[in-house]
Amino acid sequence: MTNSFSNLHDLSSGNFAALRKNKRKRLSSSENDEDNDDDDQASSDRVIIVANHLPLKAKRREDNEGWCFSLNEDSLLLHLKDGFPKGTRVLYVGSLNVDVDLSEEDDVSRTLLQNFNCVPTFLEPDLSERFYDGFCKKKLWPLFHYMLPLSVYEGAPFEKPLWESYIAANKVFFNKVVEILNPINDYVWIHDYHLMVLPYLLRRRYIELRMGFFLHSPFPSSEIYRTLPVRENILKALLNSDIIGFHTYDYARHFLSCCSRLLGLNYQLKRGYLELEYHGRIIGIRIMPVGIHMGRIESLLAMADKDCSLRELKQQFEGKLVLIGVDDIDIFKGINFKLLAMEQMLREHSKYRGKAVLIQILNPARGKGLNVEKILKETKEKCRRINEEFGQPGYDPIVLIDTEISASKRVAYCSIADCLVVTAIRDGMNLIPYEYVVCRQGLPDSSSSPKKSMIVMSEFIGCSLSLSGAIRTNPWCVQATSDAMLQAISMSDSEKELRHGKHYRYVSTHDVAYWSRSFLQDMFKTCADHYKKTYWGIGFGFDFRVMSVDATFRKLAVEDILSAYNNAENRVILLDYDGTIMPQNSINNPPSEDVISTLKRLCADQKNTVFIVSGRGKKHLNEWFSSCQNLGIAAEHGYFIRWPQNDEWDISYQNFEFGWMDLVEPVLRLYTDATDGSSIEVKESSLVWQYQDADPTFGSFQAKEMLSHLESVLTNEPVAVNSGKYIVEIKPQGASKGITAERIFSSMAEKGRRADFVLCIGDDRSDEDMFEIFGSEKLGNILSPKALVFPCTVGQKPSSAKYYMDTITDVTYMLQTLAQSSTDSSFPEEDPMNTM
């Protein structure tokens, strides 16, 4: 029997002791427990960094006998450790950029672990192609960059085998992590869209694992993302992380919007941090733009200066205004927009012909992405055409470098450029502008002459918000980009110096170490309460999730209360209506025949006092429960009360003025007209604005605005404005279910029938008022000293109740069982001797 099934069974039976026992056992459930007990592993915390590629370079030896490996200093992942606490050990899990023969895998794995702290994942060539070139680059990469095929002819339709390959590849990474993981002490940091299923795989094995995920690409808006057939699966997999990081607020906002629209989750802002609650677990959402490694750029500058490449380039472009672009060959880099803007500038401003030069460096494509060959062909054709039109002897306005160059050579080109131009139509972060700023600053011991630089940057890339001195442009508008380029090269030196200084201060203080330190610190904080709560995993497939509740919160089973019910003399049963004994699905929602029958049987027991305590109006409740003569009803949160065996309604608050309704109704109508799908419910004592059928994001936004609006309108009025699940309710102050419950208990005490058994069941925020009174001292004199109280909420969620039941079906079953117990006690079995 699987862990998931056993947990589901224990949860359904309320067996929390078994859950806690299973939880402890699962922490050592690795197939490699002997390795996990290694003293060196358990002595302190480690960070395991998991990414698609290891920060290594690999090449075959000249004798073709084995491999030569070296650290890839240009890899961002290699420098994450610079921000970690001193003494933190780091392990890397990822794939190599070469194919290793099966017979060599063991030797390579041993070498990489011993010499580089790296654990390689070996994907079979066909799986690697389907995983990376298939699903990642042709499905996720375009979608996450806001690209949708307009027809089946412009991009293949979704292929389930590619998705299965993506999962299979993630499982290979999972198996390698499990081999080295110590789930008690280790932190796991997963990187980028290639491994979005990995958090789910790891959480399913280790429910208390401390785990973070960072997305290095954009995250699309919900309108784009929800076209992905496996949209919910990916979201649920990511939500198994403890913390999820994004480069910008836009990307985080889109992710939260998808969680809201597809999974019904709402986020909150707590002390400046975004948080999502997912089945009781708090998931941190962080906005952290990544930085560069300053030391690496400075070492490349020194190398370029040493091999004279920097000096040669200065001589080659002496007297020219140099603009530079450094881009991957990718459909989203907007290279052709940049070339068209340069052409436009030269056509409109002839004085720059023969003077302005655009150096366009094309980095090799990272994979078999969409239209790579087509982009390269179009780029070369445009360069040729522009050079033919505006070129002169010894002068080409476009210098295209389409062969791979060294990192030091790239840095040298950036050092001589007066302006960097980035025209990507969508990009995650793009660190080239950061590198350019450092290159223009030069080495720390270089000349003390003022430094200056200019950047023309697309507004659709992540770093555009960080470098506020750059000239932002819409790359789709060629004229605007051309004007921005002209503004940049014609700007005064003093202005260039000011902007450069501002950029350099930001880049130098927000480097990769600052970024990794911030992320790890936030992961520490988010995971700090792991051992203070009870966790268990339930569900199958991508519906697997980890539940988190307070250790005293438990499921209420019939067996828990049946004995107390049978032994009690004065019982009180308080029931909410919508969401408790009937589904909350419409305004006109009459009770079922089973509910009416059960309530009649409960009310027939003279030991029982049964009340429906609802926010609904008395008209509907009176009609629906007219046949239940012994049933008490509290309508509109107790403003109206109909006592058992009484047809008259009592008003809880006499002489209450309702002039405030004339102030509130116009406000509610204003928001109803502006919010499609919302409506107003008018009750005798209150007004309710409902937005259950409205757009969830816009409805929630409008509700918050309405609360602020009404608070200013009703400052001096004796009313309360409360928000609930898809509602905003305005009602008299003091009209609450908690006060209503107190009135019921007091009335019974006055008649000498102090309650010795209380069952109180509800499902929403208004019912919390009832639950809260049971933890206070208010009921000390009106309940029996031996009273057994069972406050219970419907659904597993934070609550003041001590108990929960999963569904309305569970509530109905419990009430039917209690009703049957009352019936059995009223008609005891006859003594067989008396019937003879």
Side-chain angles (χ1 to χ4, degrees):
M1 184 166 64
T2 65
N3 278 326
S4 186
F5 180 82
S6 64
N7 285 343
L8 190 63
H9 175 74
D10 290 332
L11 180 61
S12 65
S13 63
N15 190 358
F16 281 73
L19 284 169
R20 286 189 281 271
K21 182 178 179 181
N22 285 342
K23 176 189 71 172
R24 290 194 293 271
K25 289 171 64 177
R26 291 189 68 183
L27 286 175
S28 59
S29 63
S30 169
E31 298 171 2
N32 300 277
D33 288 335
E34 294 181 3
D35 295 335
N36 289 340
D37 289 338
D38 183 77
D39 291 338
D40 185 54
Q41 279 188 328
S43 61
S44 63
D45 291 340
R46 286 186 315 183
V47 177
I48 299 176
I49 296 173
V50 193
N52 185 39
H53 286 118
L54 291 170
L56 296 175
K57 294 180 180 179
K59 64 177 181 179
R60 199 75 181 171
R61 288 178 180 169
E62 293 182 0
D63 59 3
N64 205 35
E65 296 292 332
W67 296 88
C68 291
F69 297 101
S70 61
L71 293 174
N72 182 5
E73 295 291 341
D74 290 326
S75 173
L76 195 69
L77 300 178
L78 181 64
H79 303 293
L80 295 182
K81 61 182 183 293
D82 295 350
F84 294 166
K86 186 177 180 180
T88 302
R89 291 171 299 164
V90 180
L91 284 177
Y92 299 92
V93 178
S95 59
L96 293 165
N97 57 359
V98 294
D99 292 328
V100 177
D101 189 79
L102 181 62
S103 62
E104 300 176 305
E105 287 184 0
D106 289 342
D107 290 337
V108 168
S109 296
R110 189 161 40 251
T111 299
L112 295 185
L113 182 59
Q114 292 175 355
N115 299 337
F116 301 99
N117 288 333
C118 290
V119 180
T121 57
F122 300 106
L123 300 179
E124 296 178 1
D126 58 336
L127 175 61
S128 178
E129 183 174 359
R130 294 195 304 271
F131 159 64
Y132 185 72
D133 295 322
F135 195 77
C136 289
K137 297 303 288 186
K138 292 184 179 178
K139 299 299 178 187
L140 292 180
W141 180 258
L143 184 81
F144 278 30
H145 287 75
Y146 293 64
M147 181 180 179
L148 289 176
L150 300 180
S151 69
V152 295
Y153 306 105
E154 298 182 13
F158 180 81
E159 300 175 51
K160 188 176 180 180
L162 292 182
W163 166 241
E164 293 171 345
S165 297
Y166 181 82
I167 296 174
N170 274 250
K171 286 182 178 178
V172 174
F173 283 83
F174 162 75
N175 290 330
K176 286 298 180 181
V177 173
V178 168
E179 287 180 11
I180 60 171
L181 180 65
N182 182 326
I184 300 294
N185 294 324
D186 290 347
Y187 289 84
V188 179
W189 187 357
I190 303 168
H191 289 264
D192 222 1
Y193 66 97
H194 316 91
L195 302 174
M196 292 190 294
V197 171
L198 186 55
Y200 149 72
L201 297 173
L202 287 170
R203 185 67 69 191
R204 189 173 61 175
R205 174 70 70 87
Y206 305 108
I207 60 175
E208 290 184 354
L209 180 65
R210 299 171 293 185
M211 177 170 47
F213 180 91
F214 195 92
L215 184 67
H216 291 267
S217 76
F219 196 93
S221 65
S222 60
E223 288 75 14
I224 300 292
Y225 179 78
R226 62 186 177 184
T227 63
L228 186 66
V230 291
R231 56 195 188 180
E232 289 96 346
N233 292 345
I234 289 179
L235 288 179
K236 290 175 181 178
L238 286 175
L239 290 173
N240 281 284
S241 306
D242 293 301
I243 178 173
I244 304 174
F246 300 90
H247 284 309
T248 71
Y249 172 68
D250 274 349
Y251 305 157
R253 177 171 57 86
H254 292 160
F255 174 77
L256 293 170
S257 176
C258 289
C259 290
S260 173
R261 293 174 182 274
L262 299 176
L263 302 180
L265 304 178
N266 293 318
Y267 70 90
Q268 60 181 350
L269 194 62
K270 187 175 181 181
R271 295 183 179 178
Y273 291 105
L274 291 167
E275 292 181 347
L276 266 179
E277 183 181 332
Y278 186 55
H279 297 289
R281 289 177 53 244
I282 299 299
I283 301 165
I285 307 297
R286 297 295 183 263
I287 300 157
M288 296 179 176
V290 70
I292 62 172
H293 189 262
M294 297 286 293
R296 174 59 177 164
I297 304 301
E298 290 171 354
S299 66
L300 291 173
L301 281 171
M303 194 182 304
D305 186 56
K306 185 177 181 180
D307 63 16
C308 300
S309 58
L310 185 57
R311 188 179 306 111
E312 291 171 0
L313 289 176
K314 287 182 179 179
Q315 292 174 356
Q316 180 182 348
F317 294 98
E318 186 177 4
K320 298 291 193 294
L321 285 171
V322 179
L323 299 94
I324 190 169
V326 183
D327 302 281
D328 297 339
I329 303 175
D330 190 290
I331 57 175
F332 301 108
K333 300 302 181 181
I335 300 171
N336 287 322
F337 286 141
K338 188 187 308 178
L339 298 176
L340 291 174
M342 182 68 177
E343 179 184 33
Q344 183 81 355
M345 188 185 75
L346 293 175
R347 181 174 289 118
E348 294 180 350
H349 304 278
S350 58
K351 67 177 181 178
Y352 290 107
R353 298 174 191 173
K355 189 175 181 180
V357 177
L358 172 62
I359 302 173
Q360 178 60 56
I361 300 174
L362 297 180
N363 298 324
R366 299 185 184 181
K368 300 176 183 178
L370 297 176
N371 305 319
V372 169
E373 294 181 359
K374 181 180 179 182
I375 295 167
L376 184 58
K377 181 179 179 181
E378 289 179 356
T379 300
K380 289 182 176 180
E381 174 59 27
K382 280 188 173 61
C383 290
R384 183 194 60 78
R385 178 172 55 79
I386 294 171
N387 285 338
E388 286 181 356
E389 181 177 353
F390 300 104
Q392 300 171 8
Y395 165 75
D396 285 330
I398 307 293
V399 177
L400 181 66
I401 303 173
D402 59 350
T403 57
E404 187 171 2
I405 62 174
S406 65
S408 61
K409 189 76 170 180
R410 186 187 74 238
V411 164
Y413 274 111
C414 288
S415 299
I416 66 157
D418 300 284
C419 177
L420 172 71
V421 184
V422 183
T423 53
I425 58 175
R426 185 68 61 180
D427 212 347
M429 190 63 187
N430 198 322
L431 296 177
I432 294 298
Y434 289 9
E435 293 184 6
Y436 169 73
V437 170
V438 179
C439 291
R440 292 293 289 173
Q441 181 70 16
L443 294 170
D445 57 351
S446 59
S447 65
S448 58
S449 59
K451 311 297 182 180
K452 56 182 182 291
S453 65
M454 274 307 301
I455 302 175
V456 173
M457 184 188 303
S458 165
E459 63 189 58
F460 300 116
I461 66 176
C463 66
S464 65
L465 298 176
S466 303
L467 302 179
S468 56
I471 301 175
R472 298 191 189 96
T473 183
N474 178 1
W476 297 95
C477 180
V478 173
Q479 183 64 56
T481 306
S482 173
D483 293 342
M485 293 165 65
L486 176 65
Q487 180 186 355
I489 62 177
S490 60
M491 188 175 290
S492 67
D493 287 348
S494 59
E495 181 67 18
K496 292 179 182 178
E497 292 168 11
L498 289 173
R499 296 188 184 220
H500 171 81
K502 184 178 184 180
H503 290 165
Y504 184 75
R505 285 191 296 273
Y506 177 84
V507 173
S508 60
T509 55
H510 292 73
D511 60 358
V512 65
Y514 174 88
W515 174 68
S516 63
R517 181 168 56 253
S518 299
F519 188 90
L520 196 62
Q521 287 176 348
D522 281 352
M523 183 152 50
F524 290 160
K525 295 175 184 177
T526 303
C527 300
D529 293 335
H530 268 205
Y531 301 105
K532 297 180 181 179
K533 293 186 177 182
T534 297
Y535 294 89
W536 65 88
I538 62 171
F540 302 97
F542 284 98
D543 286 327
F544 172 85
R545 64 272 188 199
V546 172
M547 298 290 185
S548 170
V549 294
D550 190 270
T552 61
F553 192 59
R554 54 173 298 202
K555 184 173 182 177
L556 183 62
V558 173
E559 295 78 12
D560 295 329
I561 69 170
L562 193 56
S563 175
Y565 179 85
N566 289 331
N567 294 330
E569 294 296 325
N570 295 302
R571 313 181 192 115
V572 177
I573 300 175
L574 305 178
L575 303 171
D576 178 38
Y577 185 75
D578 294 287
T580 301
I581 59 175
M582 286 297 294
Q584 188 170 1
N585 54 15
S586 67
I587 295 177
N588 186 25
N589 187 26
S592 65
E593 292 182 5
D594 286 343
V595 169
I596 293 293
S597 174
T598 301
L599 290 176
K600 283 183 177 180
R601 293 163 66 193
L602 285 171
C603 293
D605 190 332
Q606 295 182 355
K607 296 181 179 180
N608 291 344
T609 299
V610 184
F611 262 87
I612 297 294
V613 185
S614 173
R616 283 187 175 267
K618 66 178 184 180
K619 179 181 178 182
H620 282 137
L621 294 175
N622 202 36
E623 291 176 357
W624 294 341
F625 295 104
S626 59
S627 61
C628 301
Q629 292 298 319
N630 293 330
L631 177 68
I633 301 176
E636 301 189 21
H637 302 293
Y639 185 83
F640 297 102
I641 295 181
R642 194 194 76 179
W643 298 93
Q645 298 180 337
N646 192 339
D647 293 333
E648 300 297 325
W649 288 87
D650 290 346
I651 299 178
S652 302
Y653 307 93
Q654 299 290 341
N655 302 320
F656 193 87
E657 298 293 334
F658 288 93
W660 55 269
M661 284 191 171
D662 296 333
L663 300 174
V664 172
E665 276 199 80
V667 177
L668 299 191
R669 283 198 299 270
L670 177 68
Y671 283 88
T672 302
D673 293 341
T675 311
D676 189 31
S678 65
S679 61
I680 303 173
E681 181 182 359
V682 180
K683 302 178 183 178
E684 292 187 50
S685 69
S686 63
L687 295 172
V688 182
W689 186 71
Q690 302 178 347
Y691 59 96
Q692 184 173 1
D693 297 325
D695 178 276
T697 302
F698 185 60
S700 177
F701 174 80
Q702 289 288 74
K704 292 176 183 177
E705 286 294 309
M706 179 185 290
L707 284 172
S708 177
H709 192 160
L710 290 175
E711 284 175 1
S712 62
V713 171
L714 300 172
T715 303
N716 299 317
E717 298 292 337
V719 296
V721 182
N722 299 318
S723 62
K725 190 174 182 180
Y726 302 119
I727 66 165
V728 174
E729 183 171 25
I730 306 92
K731 61 181 182 180
Q733 285 181 351
S736 75
K737 293 184 178 181
I739 294 177
T740 301
E742 287 184 46
R743 286 193 64 192
I744 294 171
F745 297 138
S746 297
S747 175
M748 292 181 63
E750 290 172 359
K751 298 176 182 178
R753 297 182 62 241
R754 290 200 292 178
D756 54 4
F757 172 92
V758 178
L759 175 62
C760 177
I761 309 177
D763 78 303
D764 63 17
R765 177 64 192 88
S766 64
D767 300 308
E768 295 295 316
D769 294 335
M770 285 195 293
F771 303 149
E772 288 170 359
I773 68 169
F774 296 115
S776 66
E777 299 179 357
K778 296 180 179 180
L779 304 182
N781 297 324
I782 54 178
L783 292 181
S784 169
K786 298 180 180 180
L788 296 176
V789 180
F790 300 90
C792 180
T793 186
V794 181
Q796 301 170 45
K797 53 183 178 286
S799 173
S800 299
K802 292 182 179 180
Y803 303 92
Y804 76 90
M805 282 186 276
D806 287 316
T807 64
I808 295 173
T809 303
D810 294 334
V811 176
T812 303
Y813 173 73
M814 175 169 285
L815 295 177
Q816 288 174 342
T817 303
L818 298 182
Q820 183 62 44
S821 179
S822 288
T823 302
D824 292 343
S825 64
S826 299
F827 301 97
E829 294 185 5
E830 295 182 353
D831 187 341
M833 296 296 295
N834 293 334
T835 61
M836 293 180 62

